[in-house]
C-alpha cells in the first residue's frame, strides 16, 4: 500500500497469520517504511508439518498426527478425549505459557522496525508488553 504525504511516498507492508514463521516475519518489512502485522503470531499446531507448534513441542509429533487424524476423520469426541488425556499429564497453563514465551521471543525479535502489531485470536496479548522494544 502506498500513500502520498507531503510529496513523499510511504511504503507499508501488511501481514497476518504469521503462525510461528519468524523467518518470513523478518523479511516482511523488506523495502517498506513500516510493517503492520494483524496478529496470529503463534503456531499451536501445523496441519502440514505435525512436528511444528506448541502442541507437538509438548506432546510430540506422533501425538499431533493422531489428534489431527481424529479431527480429519470427524471423530471429534475421540479427539477431545485423547487431547484431554494428554493435557492431564502436564500443568496446562504453565506449559502453554512457557511454549508461547519461546515463540514470542523469536517472533518479536524478528519484527523489523518500525512495526505495528495487533494480536489475533490465537495470541496471548497479556504477554506482549514483555516483548515491547523501541520501534515496535
Amino acid at each position: 500500500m502506498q500513500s502520498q504525504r507531503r510529496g513523499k511516498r510511504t511504503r507499508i507492508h501488511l501481514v497476518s497469520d504469521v503462525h510461528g514463521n519468524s523467518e518470513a516475519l523478518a523479511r516482511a518489512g523488506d523495502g517498506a517504511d513500516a510493517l503492520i502485522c494483524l496478529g496470529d503470531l503463534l503456531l499451536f499446531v501445523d496441519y502440514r508439518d505435525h512436528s511444528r507448534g506448541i502442541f507437538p513441542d509438548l506432546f510430540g509429533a506422533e501425538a499431533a498426527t493422531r489428534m489431527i487424524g481424529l479431527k480429519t476423520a470427524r471423530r471429534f469426541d475421540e479427539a477431545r478425549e485423547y487431547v484431554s488425556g494428554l493435557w492431564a499429564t502436564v500443568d496446562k497453563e504453565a506449559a502453554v505459557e512457557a511454549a508461547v514465551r519461546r515463540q514470542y521471543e523469536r517472533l518479536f525479535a524478528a519484527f523489523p522496525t518500525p512495526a505495528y502489531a495487533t494480536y489475533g485470536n490465537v495470541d496471548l496479548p497479556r504477554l506482549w508488553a514483555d516483548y515491547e522494544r523501541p520501534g515496535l
Side-chain angles (χ1 to χ4, degrees), residues 57-132:
D57 285 351
L58 294 173
F59 304 114
E62 291 176 11
T65 298
R66 181 170 177 199
M67 184 258 310
I68 291 167
L70 291 169
K71 287 183 173 186
T72 302
R74 305 184 60 78
R75 295 164 51 191
F76 299 115
D77 290 337
E78 193 175 340
R80 272 190 293 279
E81 183 178 324
Y82 175 65
V83 170
S84 291
L86 293 173
W87 285 119
T89 67
V90 298
D91 177 342
K92 182 178 181 177
E93 187 174 323
V96 169
E97 183 168 324
V100 166
R101 286 186 177 280
R102 284 190 297 274
Q103 282 193 26
Y104 278 166
E105 285 174 16
R106 287 190 312 273
L107 290 159
F108 278 85
F111 269 110
T113 55
Y116 305 87
T118 63
Y119 54 86
N121 65 314
V122 301
D123 291 311
L124 293 181
R126 67 180 172 81
L127 300 179
W128 281 35
D130 294 347
Y131 302 94
E132 288 179 4

Side-chain angles (χ1 to χ4, degrees), residues 14-18 25 35-42 104 108 111 115-125 128 136:
L14 179 68
V15 298
S16 69
D17 299 293
V18 175
L25 181 60
L35 174 73
I36 298 175
C37 179
L38 300 177
D40 283 349
L41 292 176
L42 295 174
Y104 278 166
F108 278 85
F111 269 110
Y116 305 87
T118 63
Y119 54 86
N121 65 314
V122 301
D123 291 311
L124 293 181
W128 281 35
L136 176 59

